[in-house]
Amino acid sequence: MDWGLKNRLARIIKPETGHTVMLAVDHGYFLGPTSGLEIPGKTIKPLLPYADSLMLTRGVLRTSVDPNNDIPIVLRVSGGNSIVGDDLSNESITTNIEEAIRLNVCAMTLSIYVGSKYEHQTLINLSELVNEGEKYGIPVLAVTAVGKEMGRGAKYLALACRIAAELGAHFVKTYYCEGFEKVVKTCPVPIIIAGGKKIPEHDALKLAFNAIQKGACGVDMGRNIFQSNHPVAMIQAVRSIVHKKASVDKAFELFNSKIKMQSVS
Ligand code: R5P
């Protein structure tokens, strides 16, 4: 791995702890104005001091993030599909490498849909993106997307993560599942988990805790942070688990104490 690529990865996965808290706000690329992200800039700004990187599209980056900011950017470069279209897996590369370089990104990301109608196309997207990224030292994060017909069990996720790593992804984003340690063990590159649909805060903290315990390198959480009634308190509680080895109860205490502090200030 070359120096630039390693350096970019080290800006996302913090060498001090070996872990990362990524903030995912790319949902609009196929979901439109997702609840909590209607005005992206308003959602993102107060969370930035607590995120190790920001995952988003070029449209939201250009319009909603101040360029005088040094947050590492993980740029979503795939799309062309929507929640109301025929097949979510029909995804292509939407943003070229020159644009990623102009935007000074730390990594590029796309989804793969293993087991779907467009599996081949999305795996070739990944391979070609890795080829481009390697030329310029930009790492690639593969997201193992799960459509309605696709599994979420360890067997399926281990298959999808391993394929992503074999095709050259430098890190992989997937879902937490029963038997998650198998997914981590059989994937030779770091694994980060998505948060998934909004669940109660204590449960989301437990999810993050279990994932880290079982070998995840970090979280790339979206809805469980920005759809919380207290997103700033929530991201700080998630951070305490990922970077400071806090227990679920300690992190939840921190969440509640941050809410109290915010309500008096
Ligand atoms: C989905 O493909 C997107 O990459 C989202 O960023 C991802 O699902 C993570 O967000 P959440 O924690 O809301 O699941």
Side-chain angles (χ1 to χ4, degrees):
M1 219 187 268
D2 82 0
W3 195 94
L5 201 143
K6 276 189 189 158
N7 181 254
R8 285 189 174 91
L9 262 184
R11 291 192 57 212
I12 300 167
I13 301 171
K14 298 297 171 194
E16 308 84 61
T17 63
H19 289 133
T20 185
V21 175
M22 299 173 60
L23 178 64
V25 288
D26 61 327
H27 305 59
Y29 91 92
F30 73 100
L31 288 171
T34 314
S35 168
L37 272 183
E38 294 88 345
I39 305 170
K42 207 171 146 196
T43 304
I44 295 168
K45 197 172 173 196
L47 297 170
L48 282 180
Y50 309 103
D52 294 323
S53 70
L54 200 52
M55 174 170 169
L56 76 184
T57 58
R58 64 176 163 187
V60 169
L61 180 61
R62 284 173 181 161
T63 56
S64 313
V65 181
D66 183 348
N68 294 310
N69 204 299
D70 65 359
I71 182 110
I73 298 300
V74 178
L75 189 69
R76 171 165 288 276
V77 299
S78 68
N81 50 352
S82 87
I83 193 70
V84 292
D86 320 329
D87 196 316
L88 207 54
S89 69
N90 192 0
E91 202 165 292
S92 302
I93 298 293
T94 54
T95 308
N96 64 27
I97 187 87
E98 290 80 9
E99 175 81 321
I101 294 166
R102 270 196 301 275
L103 293 169
N104 197 29
V105 308
C106 267
M108 299 180 290
T109 187
L110 84 174
S111 296
I112 57 168
Y113 292 79
V114 172
S116 74
K117 185 171 165 196
Y118 294 94
E119 169 187 272
H120 175 72
Q121 171 183 316
T122 64
L123 293 178
I124 296 303
N125 291 343
L126 168 60
S127 310
E128 288 176 356
L129 192 64
V130 171
N131 291 340
E132 289 300 297
E134 295 270 355
K135 281 188 211 161
Y136 302 99
I138 303 182
V140 171
L141 171 68
V143 178
T144 67
V146 287
K148 278 183 202 136
E149 295 83 34
M150 289 180 263
R152 275 191 188 227
K155 198 170 169 194
Y156 171 78
L157 294 175
L159 170 82
C161 290
R162 179 58 176 266
I163 290 172
E166 298 265 354
L167 295 180
H170 303 93
F171 53 144
V172 177
K173 170 173 160 176
T174 194
Y175 288 87
Y176 182 73
C177 61
E178 190 78 26
F180 184 70
E181 37 307 23
K182 183 190 167 202
V183 182
V184 174
K185 205 170 141 193
T186 56
C187 179
V189 298
I191 290 198
I192 286 155
I193 60 142
K197 280 191 183 148
K198 172 78 178 74
I199 51 178
E201 279 80 0
H202 192 273
D203 294 348
L205 292 172
K206 199 168 169 196
L207 177 85
F209 179 84
N210 288 340
I212 296 294
Q213 288 293 306
K214 292 185 179 172
C217 152
V219 301
D220 185 14
M221 232 179 220
R223 289 163 290 179
N224 276 293
I225 291 174
F226 64 71
Q227 289 178 351
S228 168
N229 288 335
H230 304 284
V232 175
M234 185 57 182
I235 195 169
Q236 289 178 86
V238 171
R239 263 194 102 70
S240 72
I241 287 175
V242 173
H243 284 302
K244 297 195 174 145
K245 300 187 174 148
S247 65
V248 179
D249 288 342
K250 278 278 168 218
F252 195 58
E253 261 173 45
L254 180 72
F255 172 69
N256 286 319
S257 73
K258 294 289 176 191
I259 297 171
K260 272 194 200 129
M261 279 164 64
Q262 281 157 18
S263 64
V264 285
S265 64

